[in-house]
Amino acid sequence: MIVGIGSDLCDIRRIARTLERHGARFTHRVFTEGERARCDRRAARAEGYARRFAAKEACAKALGTGFSAGVFWRDMEVVNLPSGQPTLRLAGGAAARLAELLPAGHAARLHVSLTDDPPMAQAFVIIEALPVSVAG
């Protein structure tokens, strides 16, 4: 069953300006070490950060809290499965909120779709609750 849906649209130019103006202060506040490493080794650096920024916004919406109730930017990390498919790893307040959303006997599966078509980046997040015997 779906317990949360979120989407976000992000202007890559805004992220590029923020990177130029605030650099590491911005990236260290919003992104995990793994996300920074992945984005910083790419030529399309701003696009990578913009996709992840949009994913975090979409996840906060799917959790139903936004960035409040103890949910912080670095509580959500965009990671890739071995197949390359993006997903989110949650920690801290985001993980706690996710646990509150799940019915007893269910585990979460986070579906993430990321795209960009400059100057915009977009993300969709769906939080699915699966019975533990299926989610295994």
Side-chain angles (χ1 to χ4, degrees), residues 39-88:
C39 291
D40 288 342
R41 70 174 175 251
R42 299 199 182 280
R45 183 173 179 246
E47 288 87 341
Y49 277 119
R51 284 190 304 271
R52 282 160 181 76
F53 188 90
K56 291 168 184 268
E57 288 274 7
C59 183
K61 292 171 185 174
L63 290 170
T65 58
F67 290 98
S68 65
V71 175
F72 299 100
W73 289 102
R74 285 180 291 151
D75 288 347
M76 296 166 274
E77 180 179 20
V78 177
V79 296
N80 293 86
L81 299 174
S83 65
Q85 176 184 354
T87 190
L88 285 155

Side-chain angles (χ1 to χ4, degrees), residues 5-6 10 28 40 78 92:
I5 298 175
C10 179
H28 283 77
D40 288 342
V78 177

Side-chain angles (χ1 to χ4, degrees), residues 6 17 25 28 33 35 38 44 48 61 69 83 87 92 95 122-123 136:
R17 285 191 304 270
R25 195 170 115 217
H28 283 77
E33 183 178 331
E35 290 171 319
R38 187 169 180 102
K61 292 171 185 174
S83 65
T87 190
Q122 186 175 35

Side-chain angles (χ1 to χ4, degrees), residues 20-40:
E20 289 172 16
R21 188 169 185 198
H22 301 288
R25 195 170 115 217
F26 167 65
T27 59
H28 283 77
R29 179 175 169 253
V30 175
F31 302 97
T32 66
E33 183 178 331
E35 290 171 319
R36 292 190 308 269
R38 187 169 180 102
C39 291
D40 288 342

